[in-house]
Amino acid sequence: MPGASCFWASGKVASGGLRGFFGKKPLKNLQKTLRGVGVYFRGWVVYNRVEWYFWVLGGKVVAVFTKDKSFYRTLVMLAIPISLQNLITFAVNFADNLMIGSLGDNAISGVYVGNQMQAVVQMFTAGVEGAILILAAQYWGKKDAPSIRKVVSIGVKFALGVGLVATSAAVLFPSVIIGLFTQDAGVIAEGTVYLQIVGFTYLFFCLSQVMIASMRSVETAKIGLYISILALVVNVSLNYVLIFGKLGFPAMGVKGAAVATLISRVLEMCVSAGYVFFVDKKLQLKFMDLLHTDRQLLKDFVKYGLPIIGGQVVWSINTLANTKILGFYSAGVIAAASITGMLHNLIYVWMNGLSSAVGIITGKTVGAGLYEKMKEYAKTVQMIFLGVGLISGCAVLLLRDWFIGLYSASPEAQAYSYQFINVIAVTIVGTCYQAACLFGLVKSGGDISFVFKNDTIFVFLVVIPSALIAMWLGAAPWVVFACLKCDQILKCFVAVVKINRYNWMKNLTRDNKGKGELADGTE
């Protein structure tokens, strides 16, 4: 802020600890002491025995870390099971990737390209999940379980549609889909075998994710973790048996990995649906609820869900464009992108868990109308994710050599992996701040269309054009890869302005007593 003096102070603050140093009004006198000093200041202060931080800007002391202990307690209770679930999901994919990695570059690349269809399905499903979480979390803030059941019912129908379309396309046209991303005959052959079988998993995946999202919206996050643990054990065990031909089974290679994934997805869906319909006591969803559709909530789901799904479609296009652009290079470059992507996902899991937890807290707080409390939380969230980003960047660099060494990849693929990982060590700092804050705060707080517009502008006007231009100019693969990731840093400048204007807090719930009006009084 022009002309403003900025100071940073942090510390453990205990009742009365400032008085002997700054008199009877410690914060006011501290403000006077620091005013006008144009440097960064760091010190330890004690007040109410709560560790907190404050930002002194232009002589005003503003709390940055909330003193509300319930925020941290809820954040941890939600983030840990969600992060562990994400980690286990990563472990399942990593087990596939690592075991298949022993089969050579074509196998790695074939499965990587084949999984682009899964990425597309996941993007659409994430849009449906996002609509459920944002609307249901706000209704949970009002303790309106009947409306949440109606929202979940609508989400199940959308997920069913996505799953059926994706499964049909993958099973009927696997070679056509693989051929969209690469012209390498060896990669197409391996990818086609994998996709034709794994395509059957998409329907089960979509339904299980909606069930898990419905539980998260009412702050039941542990069931997703338990289901993921079960999927990990089943998938890794079957991978080992079917890929390499153990316990009397023939060695099936990439086909074995696909069969193992299919079995684990079916089991995952059965367990998640069984818990939601027969065990859960908060939502109490019944099969009969799925037969009815509330027209007013359907309009809300479409109104607020379409920008989320639209944003996921944009990112699906971005993901596909990434694969297509890198597909113009050798199998070694594609394999390097796969290896780099796995390391990125490993580091990303804890950020994603925190972001999802923040999203639930944001939806619940905004739904309850506690806007001033939400502003306080927003300051804390930004600092948390900035710290997470810096730690994540360092972790990427520390794990780089060890992680690449896990793969039996060619020297070319290993060399490119080293370069690509150096790039994400920088960009992941921005990812952790802007992606987490824009989802956890802005989107979950009700301003859904902003994130969609922001992503669309960056993908189509910055990311894809810059990568194509770099490739056309003959730039090295790592430069093209850096162009594909450049938005992760650039969007931070947009995020910091948007978040701190606080115009994203919008109550999306309807007052059942108000003849279909939204909670803020609008139609």
Side-chain angles (χ1 to χ4, degrees):
M1 190 177 295
S5 302
C6 297
F7 312 91
W8 177 251
S10 73
K12 285 192 172 181
V13 184
S15 182
L18 287 176
R19 291 189 178 179
F21 206 83
F22 290 103
K24 294 182 178 180
K25 298 180 179 179
L27 290 181
K28 185 174 181 180
N29 292 331
L30 175 61
Q31 174 185 345
K32 292 179 179 179
T33 303
L34 295 178
R35 184 183 290 122
V37 181
V39 296
Y40 285 99
F41 171 84
R42 181 178 176 85
W44 290 98
V45 191
V46 183
Y47 184 75
N48 289 335
R49 297 182 181 177
V50 177
E51 185 170 335
W52 68 304
Y53 297 75
F54 52 85
W55 184 268
V56 182
L57 196 57
K60 294 182 179 180
V61 179
V62 182
V64 172
F65 276 74
T66 178
K67 293 184 286 183
D68 184 355
K69 293 181 180 179
S70 66
F71 170 81
Y72 300 107
R73 189 184 310 114
T74 305
L75 181 64
V76 171
M77 289 178 63
L78 290 172
I80 288 178
I82 294 174
S83 295
L84 288 175
Q85 181 191 346
N86 291 338
L87 180 60
I88 292 169
T89 300
F90 164 81
V92 172
N93 296 330
F94 181 58
D96 274 355
N97 207 265
L98 196 58
M99 292 183 192
I100 290 168
S102 64
L103 304 178
D105 284 1
N106 281 339
I108 297 175
S109 301
V111 172
Y112 171 69
V113 174
N115 275 332
Q116 296 311 300
M117 188 65 181
Q118 169 68 28
V120 173
V121 173
Q122 205 156 337
M123 292 293 183
F124 276 102
T125 306
V128 177
E129 286 181 68
I132 291 173
L133 281 168
I134 291 171
L135 286 171
Q138 291 204 8
Y139 278 112
W140 183 241
K142 297 175 66 175
K143 300 300 179 184
D144 186 354
S147 292
I148 298 175
R149 288 196 289 270
K150 294 173 184 177
V151 169
V152 172
S153 172
I154 295 168
V156 168
K157 295 179 179 70
F158 275 95
L160 187 63
V162 171
L164 287 173
V165 171
T167 292
S168 300
V171 172
L172 296 176
F173 311 106
S175 58
V176 175
I177 293 172
I178 299 297
L180 294 174
F181 304 108
T182 180
Q183 302 302 314
D184 189 300
V187 175
I188 291 175
E190 295 283 10
T192 299
V193 170
Y194 180 80
L195 182 59
Q196 192 159 36
I197 297 173
V198 85
F200 285 103
T201 69
Y202 300 148
L203 176 60
F204 302 106
F205 171 78
C206 290
L207 293 174
S208 65
Q209 293 307 297
V210 167
M211 294 293 103
I212 292 171
S214 69
M215 290 294 92
R216 285 184 181 177
S217 68
V218 294
E219 299 181 84
T220 302
K222 290 182 180 179
I223 181 60
L225 170 61
Y226 299 147
I227 291 172
S228 294
I229 291 173
L230 177 64
L232 172 66
V233 173
V234 172
N235 191 266
V236 172
S237 301
L238 291 177
N239 267 338
Y240 178 73
V241 170
L242 299 178
I243 291 175
F244 302 114
K246 305 296 181 180
L247 302 179
F249 286 87
M252 299 171 66
V254 296
K255 183 183 290 186
V259 171
T261 301
L262 175 59
I263 294 172
S264 65
R265 292 296 192 202
V266 172
L267 185 61
E268 190 178 61
M269 190 277 290
C270 292
V271 174
S272 60
Y275 182 88
V276 171
F277 287 108
F278 302 112
V279 179
D280 169 63
K281 301 301 180 184
K282 289 183 180 179
L283 188 57
Q284 298 182 341
L285 186 69
K286 305 298 179 185
F287 285 107
M288 291 300 294
D289 293 323
L290 303 181
L291 302 179
H292 304 286
T293 301
D294 185 293
R295 292 185 179 182
Q296 197 65 60
L297 283 175
L298 175 60
K299 291 179 182 178
D300 288 347
F301 196 96
V302 172
K303 178 180 179 180
Y304 302 122
L306 278 181
I308 300 175
I309 296 173
Q312 298 299 332
V313 170
V314 168
W315 275 106
S316 295
I317 294 172
N318 184 50
T319 301
L320 299 179
N322 276 228
T323 306
K324 180 66 176 179
I325 291 170
L326 295 175
F328 284 110
Y329 293 94
S330 65
V333 171
I334 300 175
S338 176
I339 294 170
T340 303
M342 292 305 294
L343 178 56
H344 179 273
N345 292 341
L346 171 61
I347 302 298
Y348 191 78
V349 293
W350 73 306
M351 186 284 289
N352 186 257
L354 282 168
S355 177
S356 298
V358 168
I360 295 169
I361 294 171
T362 298
K364 182 179 178 181
T365 306
V366 173
L370 304 174
Y371 299 117
E372 290 304 315
K373 178 65 69 177
M374 191 62 244
K375 290 180 181 180
E376 183 181 319
Y377 290 168
K379 298 183 182 77
T380 300
V381 166
Q382 290 179 77
M383 298 312 303
I384 288 175
F385 283 116
L386 182 59
V388 167
L390 294 171
I391 294 171
S392 298
C394 294
V396 167
L397 291 176
L398 291 173
L399 293 173
R400 178 187 57 202
D401 295 344
W402 167 79
F403 195 83
I404 294 173
L406 294 175
Y407 289 83
S408 300
S410 65
E412 178 193 22
Q414 291 184 357
Y416 282 127
S417 297
Y418 191 92
Q419 295 173 350
F420 289 178
I421 290 172
N422 286 342
V423 172
I424 66 166
V426 176
T427 61
I428 200 169
V429 178
T431 301
C432 288
Y433 174 74
Q434 59 85 17
C437 288
L438 287 176
F439 170 79
L441 295 175
V442 176
K443 185 184 289 187
S444 298
D447 196 349
I448 301 167
S449 62
F450 175 83
V451 179
F452 167 54
K453 295 171 185 175
N454 188 51
D455 287 344
T456 301
I457 290 171
F458 273 99
V459 167
F460 292 108
L461 298 183
V462 179
V463 174
I464 295 176
S466 65
L468 290 173
I469 291 170
M471 186 175 64
W472 180 69
L473 293 174
W478 75 265
V479 175
V480 175
F481 186 79
C483 291
L484 293 171
K485 302 296 180 183
C486 68
D487 63 312
Q488 300 304 301
I489 297 295
L490 297 176
K491 284 196 288 191
C492 290
F493 299 103
V494 177
V496 72
V497 173
K498 177 64 178 178
I499 293 165
N500 291 291
R501 284 181 175 173
Y502 303 113
N503 58 358
W504 41 268
M505 293 184 288
K506 301 178 180 180
N507 195 324
L508 307 180
T509 63
R510 290 190 174 273
D511 187 352
N512 291 329
K513 299 177 182 179
K515 299 181 180 180
E517 290 185 350
L518 291 175
D520 61 6
T522 61
E523 292 289 345

